Amino acid sequence: MRIMAIFTAALLLASCSITRLDADALGGKWKISEVRGQGLSQESDLDFDVKAGRLGIYAGCNRLSTDYTAGQGGIRFGYTVSTLMACSEEIRSAEGGISQVLTQASAFRIRNQTLSLEDDAGNVLLRAVRKEGEIPGNTRQDSRQTEGRVFRLH
């Protein structure tokens, strides 16, 4: 009985560290390469602040920001706020597309330093490449442990 209690406690502690590692893997800056399969003509970035649980987004004109929760196998985003600069139609459309993706994303995958945000059906909504010099968490080991895994909220 005592061994079972120790085993259960160890499992619970291990699952907590895995969940945290999942969230840490998102940390840092990413360059958006496509939204719903379409490339972007302007520089567009995601900046995950793991400690604050905040995501900053720049898509060429306005700055967007949202809270997020990652772990337990997935990702959820809160309401998105934005500055209201006068932008070209192309940029406004890209910003709207990114914002819409955040309302539908429930999972993320990191493979070869590429982040994919996915919906419940596994469709890729957004892809972004980790910016050079950005390392998730505190060590390179973090990215190796999450490489290729899918994290999904249920």
Side-chain angles (χ1 to χ4, degrees):
M1 184 62 130
R2 185 177 185 154
I3 293 174
M4 184 61 120
I6 292 171
F7 179 71
T8 302
L11 268 177
L12 287 172
L13 288 173
S15 69
C16 290
S17 66
I18 290 169
T19 298
R20 187 68 193 148
L21 178 62
D22 296 351
D24 285 348
L26 290 167
K29 296 180 182 178
W30 303 80
K31 180 180 180 200
I32 301 172
S33 57
E34 65 181 62
V35 176
R36 297 189 189 280
Q38 301 294 313
L40 299 177
S41 60
Q42 71 279 356
E43 180 76 19
S44 301
D45 300 317
L46 302 175
D47 187 358
F48 285 91
D49 181 341
V50 175
K51 289 185 177 157
R54 300 278 308 158
L55 171 61
I57 305 154
Y58 180 72
C61 185
N62 286 296
R63 301 238 177 240
L64 293 82
S65 181
T66 184
D67 293 326
Y68 75 93
T69 304
Q72 299 300 318
I75 192 163
R76 293 264 191 240
F77 296 96
Y79 292 103
T80 303
V81 296
S82 172
T83 58
L84 296 173
M85 307 285 287
C87 309
S88 71
E89 179 59 35
E90 179 183 13
I91 291 176
R92 272 198 321 264
S93 178
E95 290 171 345
I98 294 167
S99 185
Q100 186 180 38
V101 159
L102 299 180
T103 67
Q104 298 171 339
S106 63
F108 68 94
R109 178 189 311 257
I110 299 172
R111 178 177 284 143
N112 298 325
Q113 299 302 312
T114 299
L115 167 67
S116 298
L117 295 180
E118 301 175 357
D119 64 14
D120 288 332
N123 299 309
V124 175
L125 304 172
L126 180 146
R127 286 191 207 280
V129 177
R130 188 175 297 282
K131 287 200 158 191
E132 188 142 342
E134 292 289 321
I135 300 172
N138 295 323
T139 67
R140 291 188 185 275
Q141 181 179 5
D142 290 351
S143 63
R144 285 195 306 267
Q145 290 176 357
T146 58
E147 206 55 40
R149 290 178 49 202
V150 176
F151 306 101
R152 187 176 309 284
L153 282 177
H154 298 284

